[in-house]
Amino acid sequence: MTEVLAPHALDARRVIVVAPHPDDEALGCGGLVWHLARLRRRVHVLFVTDGGASHLHSPTWPRARLAATREAEAEAALRELGLDAAARTFLRLPDADMPLPGSPGDAAALRGVTALMREVAPDLVLLPWRRDPHRDHRDAWSLVTRALSEAGMAPATLEYAIWLDEIGAADDHPRPGEMERVGFAIGDALPAKRRAVAAHRSQCGALIHDDPTAFSLTEATIERLTGPVEFYWRPL
Ligand SMILES: [Zn+2]
């Protein structure tokens, strides 16, 4: 059975939201983030990759232009969710090509995320699901989990799945005794969450029209992730 809680039942004061790509913060956690912002909890959003790989064949949106646009879209989404200007970090790792663990790029990213964890000292971290079928989501989970370990910190964690229900293999799902499912009744946050998702215009097919191979969020995905209850997995 899934427990459904009211957002104010969370007693976390300092929360880090980990978004592998700009749009995951809105799709995965937008409802809870909106409530936490209204409750005046400190929320810091960490965008891990630059999102620059969603339209690789667009002649008019080369990677750097797209990445800059995706940051602007993320800023607009955070405004919809009620977050102030200081509460975000763009790590700018390459979308779909995060550095391999042990590489110099990974070591630098690990240092940066470890420093952020020490600075914010979160008592709750919202992470992407550890076995999300999208590799960047798994790699982002791994990076932040290793950073917490480096920092010697063990805050509460909740994991949100973006692609698991659509394209996950059997092994990607939680195993018996591994996790419990928690829902948050996000209620009043829904309109703001939907606006935050729509602020990622490039991902909703609203901005770039010259790459037929491009990624685009479907209505079905958006509907699935913008219901009145936002679901997370909590480690047992
Ligand atoms: Zn993503």
PDB file of all heavy atoms in Angstrom, residues 52-80:
ATOM      1  N   GLY A  52      21.902  19.539 -23.414  1.00  0.00           N
ATOM      2  CA  GLY A  52      22.205  19.935 -24.792  1.00  0.00           C
ATOM      3  C   GLY A  52      22.060  18.852 -25.851  1.00  0.00           C
ATOM      4  O   GLY A  52      22.349  19.097 -27.028  1.00  0.00           O
ATOM      5  N   ALA A  53      21.595  17.652 -25.454  1.00  0.00           N
ATOM      6  CA  ALA A  53      21.563  16.545 -26.433  1.00  0.00           C
ATOM      7  C   ALA A  53      20.156  16.190 -26.907  1.00  0.00           C
ATOM      8  O   ALA A  53      19.964  15.147 -27.521  1.00  0.00           O
ATOM      9  CB  ALA A  53      22.227  15.308 -25.823  1.00  0.00           C
ATOM     10  N   SER A  54      19.199  17.053 -26.648  1.00  0.00           N
ATOM     11  CA  SER A  54      17.826  16.653 -27.011  1.00  0.00           C
ATOM     12  C   SER A  54      17.500  16.891 -28.483  1.00  0.00           C
ATOM     13  O   SER A  54      16.551  16.321 -29.008  1.00  0.00           O
ATOM     14  CB  SER A  54      16.803  17.379 -26.130  1.00  0.00           C
ATOM     15  OG  SER A  54      16.841  18.774 -26.343  1.00  0.00           O
ATOM     16  N   HIS A  55      18.256  17.762 -29.155  1.00  0.00           N
ATOM     17  CA  HIS A  55      17.971  18.077 -30.562  1.00  0.00           C
ATOM     18  C   HIS A  55      19.272  18.051 -31.369  1.00  0.00           C
ATOM     19  O   HIS A  55      19.694  19.058 -31.945  1.00  0.00           O
ATOM     20  CB  HIS A  55      17.316  19.459 -30.685  1.00  0.00           C
ATOM     21  CG  HIS A  55      15.938  19.523 -30.090  1.00  0.00           C
ATOM     22  ND1 HIS A  55      15.714  19.447 -28.728  1.00  0.00           N
ATOM     23  CD2 HIS A  55      14.707  19.638 -30.673  1.00  0.00           C
ATOM     24  CE1 HIS A  55      14.399  19.524 -28.504  1.00  0.00           C
ATOM     25  NE2 HIS A  55      13.773  19.637 -29.659  1.00  0.00           N
ATOM     26  N   LEU A  56      19.889  16.876 -31.421  1.00  0.00           N
ATOM     27  CA  LEU A  56      21.246  16.782 -31.983  1.00  0.00           C
ATOM     28  C   LEU A  56      21.294  17.069 -33.481  1.00  0.00           C
ATOM     29  O   LEU A  56      22.354  17.348 -34.023  1.00  0.00           O
ATOM     30  CB  LEU A  56      21.822  15.387 -31.698  1.00  0.00           C
ATOM     31  CG  LEU A  56      22.181  15.126 -30.235  1.00  0.00           C
ATOM     32  CD1 LEU A  56      22.603  13.681 -30.045  1.00  0.00           C
ATOM     33  CD2 LEU A  56      23.278  16.075 -29.761  1.00  0.00           C
ATOM     34  N   HIS A  57      20.162  16.973 -34.174  1.00  0.00           N
ATOM     35  CA  HIS A  57      20.179  17.151 -35.636  1.00  0.00           C
ATOM     36  C   HIS A  57      19.512  18.449 -36.077  1.00  0.00           C
ATOM     37  O   HIS A  57      19.227  18.626 -37.259  1.00  0.00           O
ATOM     38  CB  HIS A  57      19.521  15.946 -36.309  1.00  0.00           C
ATOM     39  CG  HIS A  57      20.189  14.650 -35.935  1.00  0.00           C
ATOM     40  ND1 HIS A  57      21.447  14.312 -36.397  1.00  0.00           N
ATOM     41  CD2 HIS A  57      19.811  13.653 -35.107  1.00  0.00           C
ATOM     42  CE1 HIS A  57      21.797  13.140 -35.872  1.00  0.00           C
ATOM     43  NE2 HIS A  57      20.826  12.718 -35.088  1.00  0.00           N
ATOM     44  N   SER A  58      19.281  19.342 -35.131  1.00  0.00           N
ATOM     45  CA  SER A  58      18.714  20.632 -35.524  1.00  0.00           C
ATOM     46  C   SER A  58      19.806  21.524 -36.091  1.00  0.00           C
ATOM     47  O   SER A  58      20.801  21.797 -35.408  1.00  0.00           O
ATOM     48  CB  SER A  58      18.082  21.324 -34.314  1.00  0.00           C
ATOM     49  OG  SER A  58      17.842  22.688 -34.634  1.00  0.00           O
ATOM     50  N   PRO A  59      19.646  22.020 -37.339  1.00  0.00           N
ATOM     51  CA  PRO A  59      20.664  22.903 -37.899  1.00  0.00           C
ATOM     52  C   PRO A  59      20.697  24.277 -37.236  1.00  0.00           C
ATOM     53  O   PRO A  59      21.722  24.964 -37.264  1.00  0.00           O
ATOM     54  CB  PRO A  59      20.268  23.027 -39.381  1.00  0.00           C
ATOM     55  CG  PRO A  59      18.854  22.584 -39.466  1.00  0.00           C
ATOM     56  CD  PRO A  59      18.580  21.679 -38.291  1.00  0.00           C
ATOM     57  N   THR A  60      19.619  24.683 -36.614  1.00  0.00           N
ATOM     58  CA  THR A  60      19.564  26.047 -36.062  1.00  0.00           C
ATOM     59  C   THR A  60      19.775  26.088 -34.547  1.00  0.00           C
ATOM     60  O   THR A  60      19.886  27.164 -33.974  1.00  0.00           O
ATOM     61  CB  THR A  60      18.204  26.704 -36.383  1.00  0.00           C
ATOM     62  OG1 THR A  60      17.170  25.852 -35.894  1.00  0.00           O
ATOM     63  CG2 THR A  60      18.038  26.908 -37.874  1.00  0.00           C
ATOM     64  N   TRP A  61      19.791  24.908 -33.901  1.00  0.00           N
ATOM     65  CA  TRP A  61      19.986  24.875 -32.459  1.00  0.00           C
ATOM     66  C   TRP A  61      21.182  24.000 -32.116  1.00  0.00           C
ATOM     67  O   TRP A  61      21.028  22.891 -31.615  1.00  0.00           O
ATOM     68  CB  TRP A  61      18.712  24.359 -31.758  1.00  0.00           C
ATOM     69  CG  TRP A  61      17.618  25.363 -31.822  1.00  0.00           C
ATOM     70  CD1 TRP A  61      16.775  25.572 -32.860  1.00  0.00           C
ATOM     71  CD2 TRP A  61      17.271  26.321 -30.823  1.00  0.00           C
ATOM     72  NE1 TRP A  61      15.921  26.608 -32.583  1.00  0.00           N
ATOM     73  CE2 TRP A  61      16.198  27.086 -31.331  1.00  0.00           C
ATOM     74  CE3 TRP A  61      17.777  26.617 -29.553  1.00  0.00           C
ATOM     75  CZ2 TRP A  61      15.615  28.121 -30.601  1.00  0.00           C
ATOM     76  CZ3 TRP A  61      17.181  27.647 -28.827  1.00  0.00           C
ATOM     77  CH2 TRP A  61      16.115  28.387 -29.357  1.00  0.00           C
ATOM     78  N   PRO A  62      22.397  24.494 -32.418  1.00  0.00           N
ATOM     79  CA  PRO A  62      23.573  23.720 -32.014  1.00  0.00           C
ATOM     80  C   PRO A  62      23.603  23.578 -30.498  1.00  0.00           C
ATOM     81  O   PRO A  62      22.924  24.309 -29.773  1.00  0.00           O
ATOM     82  CB  PRO A  62      24.746  24.567 -32.524  1.00  0.00           C
ATOM     83  CG  PRO A  62      24.194  25.931 -32.724  1.00  0.00           C
ATOM     84  CD  PRO A  62      22.735  25.769 -33.031  1.00  0.00           C
ATOM     85  N   ARG A  63      24.396  22.647 -30.079  1.00  0.00           N
ATOM     86  CA  ARG A  63      24.369  22.213 -28.688  1.00  0.00           C
ATOM     87  C   ARG A  63      24.493  23.369 -27.682  1.00  0.00           C
ATOM     88  O   ARG A  63      23.755  23.434 -26.701  1.00  0.00           O
ATOM     89  CB  ARG A  63      25.514  21.213 -28.495  1.00  0.00           C
ATOM     90  CG  ARG A  63      25.336  20.360 -27.319  1.00  0.00           C
ATOM     91  CD  ARG A  63      26.318  19.203 -27.316  1.00  0.00           C
ATOM     92  NE  ARG A  63      26.161  18.595 -26.016  1.00  0.00           N
ATOM     93  CZ  ARG A  63      26.019  17.306 -25.771  1.00  0.00           C
ATOM     94  NH1 ARG A  63      26.080  16.455 -26.766  1.00  0.00           N
ATOM     95  NH2 ARG A  63      25.835  16.868 -24.569  1.00  0.00           N
ATOM     96  N   ALA A  64      25.426  24.271 -27.928  1.00  0.00           N
ATOM     97  CA  ALA A  64      25.656  25.353 -26.957  1.00  0.00           C
ATOM     98  C   ALA A  64      24.433  26.266 -26.863  1.00  0.00           C
ATOM     99  O   ALA A  64      24.043  26.694 -25.764  1.00  0.00           O
ATOM    100  CB  ALA A  64      26.883  26.160 -27.357  1.00  0.00           C
ATOM    101  N   ARG A  65      23.810  26.549 -27.996  1.00  0.00           N
ATOM    102  CA  ARG A  65      22.630  27.417 -27.966  1.00  0.00           C
ATOM    103  C   ARG A  65      21.487  26.730 -27.213  1.00  0.00           C
ATOM    104  O   ARG A  65      20.794  27.359 -26.410  1.00  0.00           O
ATOM    105  CB  ARG A  65      22.194  27.723 -29.408  1.00  0.00           C
ATOM    106  CG  ARG A  65      21.014  28.662 -29.482  1.00  0.00           C
ATOM    107  CD  ARG A  65      20.480  28.841 -30.899  1.00  0.00           C
ATOM    108  NE  ARG A  65      19.391  29.813 -30.902  1.00  0.00           N
ATOM    109  CZ  ARG A  65      18.493  29.918 -31.868  1.00  0.00           C
ATOM    110  NH1 ARG A  65      18.574  29.148 -32.951  1.00  0.00           N
ATOM    111  NH2 ARG A  65      17.519  30.808 -31.790  1.00  0.00           N
ATOM    112  N   LEU A  66      21.339  25.451 -27.489  1.00  0.00           N
ATOM    113  CA  LEU A  66      20.267  24.710 -26.817  1.00  0.00           C
ATOM    114  C   LEU A  66      20.512  24.646 -25.309  1.00  0.00           C
ATOM    115  O   LEU A  66      19.593  24.843 -24.512  1.00  0.00           O
ATOM    116  CB  LEU A  66      20.163  23.299 -27.410  1.00  0.00           C
ATOM    117  CG  LEU A  66      19.105  22.394 -26.792  1.00  0.00           C
ATOM    118  CD1 LEU A  66      17.723  23.033 -26.867  1.00  0.00           C
ATOM    119  CD2 LEU A  66      19.091  21.041 -27.506  1.00  0.00           C
ATOM    120  N   ALA A  67      21.759  24.391 -24.925  1.00  0.00           N
ATOM    121  CA  ALA A  67      22.056  24.293 -23.494  1.00  0.00           C
ATOM    122  C   ALA A  67      21.747  25.614 -22.782  1.00  0.00           C
ATOM    123  O   ALA A  67      21.181  25.625 -21.680  1.00  0.00           O
ATOM    124  CB  ALA A  67      23.514  23.892 -23.288  1.00  0.00           C
ATOM    125  N   ALA A  68      22.118  26.726 -23.415  1.00  0.00           N
ATOM    126  CA  ALA A  68      21.827  28.037 -22.804  1.00  0.00           C
ATOM    127  C   ALA A  68      20.318  28.245 -22.685  1.00  0.00           C
ATOM    128  O   ALA A  68      19.817  28.767 -21.669  1.00  0.00           O
ATOM    129  CB  ALA A  68      22.463  29.144 -23.635  1.00  0.00           C
ATOM    130  N   THR A  69      19.596  27.835 -23.716  1.00  0.00           N
ATOM    131  CA  THR A  69      18.135  27.980 -23.682  1.00  0.00           C
ATOM    132  C   THR A  69      17.528  27.114 -22.594  1.00  0.00           C
ATOM    133  O   THR A  69      16.595  27.525 -21.893  1.00  0.00           O
ATOM    134  CB  THR A  69      17.559  27.602 -25.061  1.00  0.00           C
ATOM    135  OG1 THR A  69      18.046  28.549 -26.005  1.00  0.00           O
ATOM    136  CG2 THR A  69      16.042  27.624 -25.058  1.00  0.00           C
ATOM    137  N   ARG A  70      18.089  25.930 -22.427  1.00  0.00           N
ATOM    138  CA  ARG A  70      17.521  25.040 -21.406  1.00  0.00           C
ATOM    139  C   ARG A  70      17.762  25.587 -19.994  1.00  0.00           C
ATOM    140  O   ARG A  70      16.951  25.375 -19.102  1.00  0.00           O
ATOM    141  CB  ARG A  70      18.050  23.627 -21.582  1.00  0.00           C
ATOM    142  CG  ARG A  70      17.545  23.044 -22.914  1.00  0.00           C
ATOM    143  CD  ARG A  70      17.572  21.546 -22.955  1.00  0.00           C
ATOM    144  NE  ARG A  70      16.660  20.952 -21.969  1.00  0.00           N
ATOM    145  CZ  ARG A  70      16.529  19.642 -21.801  1.00  0.00           C
ATOM    146  NH1 ARG A  70      17.250  18.813 -22.529  1.00  0.00           N
ATOM    147  NH2 ARG A  70      15.697  19.170 -20.901  1.00  0.00           N
ATOM    148  N   GLU A  71      18.844  26.305 -19.808  1.00  0.00           N
ATOM    149  CA  GLU A  71      19.033  26.960 -18.500  1.00  0.00           C
ATOM    150  C   GLU A  71      17.989  28.049 -18.294  1.00  0.00           C
ATOM    151  O   GLU A  71      17.441  28.203 -17.200  1.00  0.00           O
ATOM    152  CB  GLU A  71      20.442  27.550 -18.389  1.00  0.00           C
ATOM    153  CG  GLU A  71      21.459  26.495 -18.107  1.00  0.00           C
ATOM    154  CD  GLU A  71      22.807  27.049 -17.643  1.00  0.00           C
ATOM    155  OE1 GLU A  71      22.885  28.225 -17.209  1.00  0.00           O
ATOM    156  OE2 GLU A  71      23.784  26.280 -17.706  1.00  0.00           O
ATOM    157  N   ALA A  72      17.731  28.805 -19.357  1.00  0.00           N
ATOM    158  CA  ALA A  72      16.719  29.862 -19.237  1.00  0.00           C
ATOM    159  C   ALA A  72      15.346  29.243 -18.966  1.00  0.00           C
ATOM    160  O   ALA A  72      14.562  29.770 -18.152  1.00  0.00           O
ATOM    161  CB  ALA A  72      16.691  30.703 -20.512  1.00  0.00           C
ATOM    162  N   GLU A  73      15.060  28.130 -19.611  1.00  0.00           N
ATOM    163  CA  GLU A  73      13.784  27.451 -19.356  1.00  0.00           C
ATOM    164  C   GLU A  73      13.713  26.954 -17.909  1.00  0.00           C
ATOM    165  O   GLU A  73      12.661  27.024 -17.262  1.00  0.00           O
ATOM    166  CB  GLU A  73      13.616  26.271 -20.331  1.00  0.00           C
ATOM    167  CG  GLU A  73      13.401  26.712 -21.779  1.00  0.00           C
ATOM    168  CD  GLU A  73      13.399  25.551 -22.766  1.00  0.00           C
ATOM    169  OE1 GLU A  73      13.871  24.449 -22.420  1.00  0.00           O
ATOM    170  OE2 GLU A  73      12.921  25.756 -23.904  1.00  0.00           O
ATOM    171  N   ALA A  74      14.843  26.463 -17.417  1.00  0.00           N
ATOM    172  CA  ALA A  74      14.872  25.987 -16.029  1.00  0.00           C
ATOM    173  C   ALA A  74      14.618  27.142 -15.065  1.00  0.00           C
ATOM    174  O   ALA A  74      13.883  26.999 -14.072  1.00  0.00           O
ATOM    175  CB  ALA A  74      16.220  25.330 -15.722  1.00  0.00           C
ATOM    176  N   GLU A  75      15.220  28.298 -15.353  1.00  0.00           N
ATOM    177  CA  GLU A  75      14.974  29.480 -14.506  1.00  0.00           C
ATOM    178  C   GLU A  75      13.488  29.829 -14.496  1.00  0.00           C
ATOM    179  O   GLU A  75      12.910  30.126 -13.444  1.00  0.00           O
ATOM    180  CB  GLU A  75      15.765  30.684 -15.033  1.00  0.00           C
ATOM    181  CG  GLU A  75      17.269  30.505 -15.060  1.00  0.00           C
ATOM    182  CD  GLU A  75      17.906  30.726 -13.697  1.00  0.00           C
ATOM    183  OE1 GLU A  75      17.173  30.986 -12.728  1.00  0.00           O
ATOM    184  OE2 GLU A  75      19.145  30.607 -13.608  1.00  0.00           O
ATOM    185  N   ALA A  76      12.878  29.786 -15.671  1.00  0.00           N
ATOM    186  CA  ALA A  76      11.444  30.107 -15.755  1.00  0.00           C
ATOM    187  C   ALA A  76      10.622  29.081 -14.969  1.00  0.00           C
ATOM    188  O   ALA A  76       9.658  29.432 -14.271  1.00  0.00           O
ATOM    189  CB  ALA A  76      11.003  30.143 -17.222  1.00  0.00           C
ATOM    190  N   ALA A  77      11.017  27.818 -15.059  1.00  0.00           N
ATOM    191  CA  ALA A  77      10.289  26.771 -14.331  1.00  0.00           C
ATOM    192  C   ALA A  77      10.402  26.984 -12.822  1.00  0.00           C
ATOM    193  O   ALA A  77       9.417  26.863 -12.086  1.00  0.00           O
ATOM    194  CB  ALA A  77      10.835  25.396 -14.717  1.00  0.00           C
ATOM    195  N   LEU A  78      11.598  27.341 -12.363  1.00  0.00           N
ATOM    196  CA  LEU A  78      11.778  27.546 -10.921  1.00  0.00           C
ATOM    197  C   LEU A  78      10.972  28.745 -10.438  1.00  0.00           C
ATOM    198  O   LEU A  78      10.448  28.728  -9.317  1.00  0.00           O
ATOM    199  CB  LEU A  78      13.262  27.708 -10.581  1.00  0.00           C
ATOM    200  CG  LEU A  78      14.140  26.476 -10.835  1.00  0.00           C
ATOM    201  CD1 LEU A  78      15.531  26.694 -10.238  1.00  0.00           C
ATOM    202  CD2 LEU A  78      13.527  25.212 -10.268  1.00  0.00           C
ATOM    203  N   ARG A  79      10.874  29.770 -11.272  1.00  0.00           N
ATOM    204  CA  ARG A  79      10.025  30.911 -10.887  1.00  0.00           C
ATOM    205  C   ARG A  79       8.584  30.449 -10.682  1.00  0.00           C
ATOM    206  O   ARG A  79       7.918  30.849  -9.726  1.00  0.00           O
ATOM    207  CB  ARG A  79      10.092  32.017 -11.941  1.00  0.00           C
ATOM    208  CG  ARG A  79      11.333  32.881 -11.835  1.00  0.00           C
ATOM    209  CD  ARG A  79      11.195  34.175 -12.644  1.00  0.00           C
ATOM    210  NE  ARG A  79      11.116  33.932 -14.087  1.00  0.00           N
ATOM    211  CZ  ARG A  79      12.187  33.737 -14.872  1.00  0.00           C
ATOM    212  NH1 ARG A  79      13.407  33.749 -14.357  1.00  0.00           N
ATOM    213  NH2 ARG A  79      12.038  33.541 -16.155  1.00  0.00           N
ATOM    214  N   GLU A  80       8.097  29.590 -11.588  1.00  0.00           N
ATOM    215  CA  GLU A  80       6.720  29.081 -11.438  1.00  0.00           C
ATOM    216  C   GLU A  80       6.570  28.306 -10.126  1.00  0.00           C
ATOM    217  O   GLU A  80       5.508  28.291  -9.517  1.00  0.00           O
ATOM    218  CB  GLU A  80       6.346  28.157 -12.604  1.00  0.00           C
ATOM    219  CG  GLU A  80       6.319  28.825 -13.977  1.00  0.00           C
ATOM    220  CD  GLU A  80       5.170  29.821 -14.132  1.00  0.00           C
ATOM    221  OE1 GLU A  80       4.358  29.969 -13.206  1.00  0.00           O
ATOM    222  OE2 GLU A  80       5.093  30.462 -15.209  1.00  0.00           O
TER     223      GLU A  80
END
